[in-house]
Amino acid sequence: MTGKDSNRLLLELEKIRRDVNREIMNPAIPELSVEDIRPVITMAARARLSYLQELIDISKISPDMPSHEQISMLSRQREAYEELRAAVNALETAIDRGYLDVIGAE
């Protein structure tokens, strides 16, 4: 396979990926407005805040070394924040690639 053939194949695969993702996602998730997306972003921001607040609270109580329980709580806060951040990023990617429609965006 030549480089030209590889490039053509990769372009075709990208088109198939874009088409399939749009065919699957777009009917399942109705057009989103900026106001539909705001609560999602707000939720992720609140999770980040909780994670950082937990860290600061722990540092005030146990400045030298946190307890296992404190680390466990911090870990749960981080997991929630990272999961929501990943979901927001996935939503942004789906919008950016045209899988989902957004109305009223300027």
Side-chain angles (χ1 to χ4, degrees), residues 30-94:
E31 283 185 330
L32 296 166
S33 71
V34 173
E35 288 309 309
D36 293 328
I37 298 168
R38 178 178 285 283
V40 172
I41 294 170
T42 300
M43 185 173 36
R46 288 185 195 284
R48 180 187 301 219
L49 172 61
S50 292
Y51 178 43
L52 296 175
Q53 279 181 323
E54 186 67 30
L55 174 65
I56 292 167
D57 291 348
I58 289 171
S59 73
K60 289 176 183 175
I61 297 168
S62 305
D64 293 329
M65 184 59 154
S67 70
H68 290 292
E69 293 79 20
Q70 289 168 322
I71 292 294
S72 179
M73 182 58 169
L74 185 63
S75 177
R76 286 193 300 274
Q77 296 289 345
R78 177 188 46 80
E79 184 179 343
Y81 161 62
E82 287 180 351
E83 193 62 40
L84 289 168
R85 182 187 65 196
V88 168
N89 289 344
L91 178 62
E92 182 179 344
T93 298

